[in-house]
Amino acid sequence: MLNLAIEIENLTCDFETVRALDKLTLEVQPGIVFGFLGPNGAGKTTTIRMLLGLLQPTSGRARVLGYDTQSQAAEIRACTGALLEHHGLYEQMNAYDNLEFYGRVNRMPTSERQARIQELLTQMGLWERRAEATKKWSRGMKQKLALARVLLHRPALVLLDEPTAGLDVPSANSVRNDLEALVASEGTTVFLTTHNMAEAERLCSQIAVIKDGQLQAIGHPDELRARSGSAQLEIIGSGFIEPVLEALRARPEVMAVQAQNGHLKINLSAQADSAELVSLLVSQGAKVREARHQSASLEEVFLTLVEETR
Amino acid sequence: MIADIKAIIWKDSKLLLRRGDNRMRTLFTLLTPIVLFGVVFPIQFRDEWIFTGWSIVIAIITPFMLISMAIPESFAGERERHTLETLLASRLPDRTIFFGKLLNAMVFGYGMTLVLLFTSLVVYNLVEWTGQIQIFEAKILLADISVGLLMSGMVASLGILISLRASTVQSAQQTLMAVLLLPLLLIQVAGFLLPRETVREILRNIDFLKTLYIFASVLLAANAGFLLIGLKRFTRSKLCLE
């Protein structure tokens, strides 16, 4: 059993004058879905290309499934599956032939290949349409087929670069369900880049946030939320007039205040005592019907992390 | 390696036959040389077709026409369709991808050359039946087979070299055509500039066998050169970034 599925150490990549990755260091445990988040141009795709040995680092090193990305790239590509920026399907060929080709490429024996193609296409709900050229398919169907292609040879590690980007809500949800089911049944390690925080929160047990090629934070989604230290107090009531809001803003633990339609949202620093704030509101003449303490969402944590250094 | 090359050929031949979404156009492209070289020429040239080496036209023109149509698809087509990076991320070794694509174009072009030579023989024998089957003279047959192979290799290796760097199939096709037609253009310009008497003298003194040897040697050298440059230029990181 491998100790680590991915091990990246001080990985740096320069493209002429641009530094795409800057001493990136992280580890991915086997058997988990690892989310790799970052704004556009943060270095996510470059990292995936380096993990596949498609790009050489300027300095640093990375190991994937125990293989070195510079000297053992062929071994890495043999036991991983990758869904990159584009789905990579041959749209003039039918769905079955697309999988057949990559089954042959992965040297799967004929009977095993046929059975696996049927199994995956059935699971994805595409078996009945296997003889159709994929060019007429919806984007969601193509993405599902691409996912089936990635999982075809039962890779130990799957690298997915924004697999639900550009899909409508039902299609994205369907791809996520398929991914969740397949990962659960086959125990594959997944390295997933996404812009969708709900997706990351739902699928990932570990998340890393990257910006300008540098690692900003890493941990379980709950840990990241806790580490961000910020919390939100939501109060439902009335009388949230400007002098009341000014009194709140004057408090040092209050970072931001927003009132709308009887809802008051107060962003707090870590040390805030919400009971004191509720007392203050009442003393200022506001009526409080309900008060809820909420931790920051992953999206807020992400925005804080990527905007901190801006 | 052979199984991997076969996988590439299997896929590329399927794409070749579904080229441009139009099977009729593919059929027309294949039927044109069959009708022209396999039927019209042997009927028109009669005995000269079999005994004077005119059939070398098939060995030169068929690979030129068919491979220059197919080979730009090899890498420029994958790049245009956004399938190249996925292919490069697979377990296939560099040389397998390179030779798979090269051989696919060669099998297509050279295979058609052989089919056309055979078809022209059948047509000639049907038209000029003398009571026994007539075939090419041994040296003509050898010249057709070897020049066809060398021509296929040359157009395929040059085409793959251009396709490796071209951003679209169309630009690869245009560049390949320009490079292939350049020597013909130079010969034509030379023929135009030289005095007529000199041209006539050169044509009178041409030795078929000697010219063939020179032509085959040039093709062989071009094959080796283009192949070596192509292999050197095939680097995953460059292809990935382009």
Side-chain angles (χ1 to χ4, degrees):
Chain A
M1 178 82 184
L2 274 169
N3 288 332
L4 292 169
I6 298 173
E7 195 182 353
I8 300 175
E9 209 178 300
N10 287 319
L11 203 66
T12 300
C13 177
D14 294 334
F15 295 126
E16 293 174 358
T17 55
V18 180
R19 176 151 288 190
L21 285 183
D22 192 1
K23 292 180 183 165
L24 181 71
T25 298
L26 61 85
E27 291 176 347
V28 177
Q29 301 294 326
I32 65 162
V33 180
F34 185 90
F36 198 51
L37 313 183
N40 289 334
K44 304 185 296 292
T45 302
T46 304
T47 305
I48 287 189
R49 285 173 171 173
M50 291 207 151
L51 293 176
L52 287 166
L54 295 175
L55 291 179
Q56 295 299 312
T58 310
S59 64
R61 58 184 275 275
R63 291 181 79 78
V64 175
L65 302 169
Y67 297 113
D68 185 82
T69 55
Q70 289 180 73
S71 58
Q72 295 169 300
E75 286 84 349
I76 292 172
R77 289 192 286 265
C79 49
T80 54
L83 175 50
L84 304 168
E85 196 180 350
H86 299 284
H87 53 62
L89 297 173
Y90 295 99
E91 296 195 352
Q92 281 148 303
M93 277 164 49
N94 65 36
Y96 192 95
D97 284 349
N98 266 283
L99 298 188
E100 172 73 18
F101 170 58
Y102 276 97
R104 288 178 185 217
V105 162
N106 287 301
R107 293 190 183 166
M108 296 172 76
T110 309
S111 56
E112 187 194 333
R113 191 167 71 222
Q114 289 168 347
R116 180 69 171 156
I117 291 173
Q118 183 168 2
E119 179 194 346
L120 284 169
L121 287 180
T122 306
Q123 264 179 296
M124 302 274 183
L126 301 171
W127 178 248
E128 298 302 321
R129 304 185 69 172
R130 64 189 180 280
E132 291 176 17
T134 56
K135 67 186 165 201
K136 287 175 187 163
W137 283 14
S138 69
R139 204 181 145 91
M141 286 168 72
K142 286 178 192 172
Q143 207 67 354
K144 278 175 163 236
L145 180 62
L147 194 58
R149 183 199 62 217
V150 168
L151 296 161
L152 186 65
H153 59 298
R154 299 179 203 276
L157 170 70
V158 166
L159 301 150
L160 305 174
D161 195 359
E162 299 178 24
T164 56
L167 298 185
D168 59 24
V169 175
S171 304
N173 193 48
S174 175
V175 168
R176 266 176 228 131
N177 288 341
D178 289 337
L179 185 64
E180 219 169 15
L182 288 161
V183 166
S185 63
E186 303 194 4
T188 314
T189 308
V190 178
F191 186 88
L192 169 85
T193 78
T194 180
H195 284 300
N196 189 316
M197 296 302 135
E199 180 173 289
E201 213 153 8
R202 177 175 150 188
L203 297 174
C204 305
S205 49
Q206 281 277 309
I207 284 174
V209 179
I210 181 179
K211 182 178 178 281
D212 294 335
Q214 293 178 327
L215 187 70
Q216 304 295 315
I218 186 166
H220 188 275
D222 292 339
E223 279 173 26
L224 291 181
R225 272 193 291 263
R227 214 183 296 169
S228 80
S230 63
Q232 199 176 61
L233 184 64
E234 188 183 4
I235 295 172
I236 301 168
S238 58
F240 304 137
I241 53 175
E242 199 49 39
V244 177
L245 302 183
E246 282 303 319
L248 276 174
R249 287 188 189 114
R251 299 281 300 217
E253 69 269 39
V254 174
M255 293 163 74
V257 177
Q258 196 189 350
Q260 201 173 27
N261 301 331
H263 284 248
L264 183 64
K265 283 184 180 176
I266 310 168
N267 286 356
L268 303 167
S269 66
Q271 299 81 21
D273 182 351
S274 40
E276 271 185 34
L277 294 174
V278 173
S279 301
L280 174 71
L281 281 171
V282 174
S283 68
Q284 292 285 321
K287 286 182 180 168
V288 175
R289 280 208 308 274
E290 197 179 323
R292 272 199 299 258
H293 212 262
Q294 293 173 327
S295 59
S297 69
L298 192 60
E299 188 164 313
E300 285 161 336
V301 173
F302 174 78
L303 286 172
T304 309
L305 285 168
V306 298
E307 280 170 5
E308 254 172 16
T309 47
R310 214 167 252 179
Chain B
M1 185 171 180
I2 290 171
D4 294 340
I5 287 176
K6 274 167 69 182
I8 293 270
I9 292 177
W10 178 83
K11 185 265 292 176
D12 278 0
S13 58
K14 274 187 175 276
L15 290 174
L16 189 67
L17 295 174
R18 287 169 171 79
R19 205 172 154 262
D21 304 340
N22 192 335
R23 288 190 188 202
M24 283 308 287
R25 199 171 75 179
T26 309
L27 201 65
F28 184 74
T29 313
L30 293 175
L31 280 177
T32 306
I34 290 176
V35 172
L36 190 67
F37 299 137
V39 181
V40 177
F41 277 22
I43 292 174
Q44 197 179 350
F45 285 89
R46 306 267 166 160
D47 286 348
E48 282 183 54
W49 186 255
I50 295 284
F51 303 112
T52 61
W54 270 106
S55 55
I56 199 82
V57 171
I58 289 181
I60 296 172
I61 304 290
T62 311
F64 182 97
M65 269 175 64
L66 298 181
I67 298 179
S68 63
M69 179 195 86
I71 199 72
E73 291 274 343
S74 58
F75 287 98
E78 297 264 5
R79 188 177 288 118
E80 206 173 77
R81 290 188 296 263
H82 303 296
T83 52
L84 184 59
E85 201 177 9
T86 301
L87 185 68
L88 295 175
S90 73
R91 55 156 291 283
L92 291 173
D94 294 4
R95 292 199 169 187
T96 304
I97 299 175
F98 186 89
F99 284 114
K101 290 190 169 290
L102 185 88
L103 286 174
N104 178 60
M106 279 186 71
V107 165
F108 174 54
Y110 189 53
M112 277 298 283
T113 305
L114 297 180
V115 167
L116 291 184
L117 284 170
F118 180 74
T119 311
S120 73
L121 264 185
V122 172
V123 170
Y124 170 80
N125 277 286
L126 287 174
V127 175
E128 298 285 310
W129 182 247
T130 56
Q132 60 175 13
I133 294 171
Q134 300 285 324
I135 56 165
F136 296 115
E137 277 182 35
K139 69 172 183 185
I140 291 173
L141 184 64
L142 191 66
D144 288 347
I145 289 173
S146 50
V147 167
L149 183 63
L150 288 170
M151 193 70 191
S152 301
M154 193 276 286
V155 180
S157 51
L158 173 65
I160 218 163
L161 188 63
I162 291 167
S163 185
L164 271 171
R165 289 287 176 269
S167 54
T168 62
V169 174
Q170 197 182 12
S171 74
Q173 263 165 347
Q174 285 168 349
T175 312
L176 181 61
M177 273 299 161
V179 175
L180 286 174
L181 292 175
L182 189 69
L184 293 177
L185 191 73
L186 290 176
I187 291 169
Q188 206 170 0
V189 170
F192 182 72
L193 293 176
L194 287 170
R196 267 197 188 169
E197 202 44 51
T198 316
V199 176
R200 279 198 198 111
E201 190 65 23
I202 291 170
L203 289 173
R204 253 198 308 273
N205 293 329
I206 276 181
D207 177 346
F208 175 75
L209 219 56
K210 207 171 165 184
T211 312
L212 194 70
Y213 284 143
I214 295 169
F215 185 57
S217 307
V218 170
L219 283 181
L220 192 64
N223 264 292
F226 294 144
L227 208 60
L228 286 175
I229 301 170
L231 280 170
K232 206 176 169 191
R233 276 198 178 183
F234 187 100
T235 45
R236 271 181 147 96
S237 55
K238 273 190 185 169
L239 286 172
C240 204
L241 290 173
E242 279 162 0

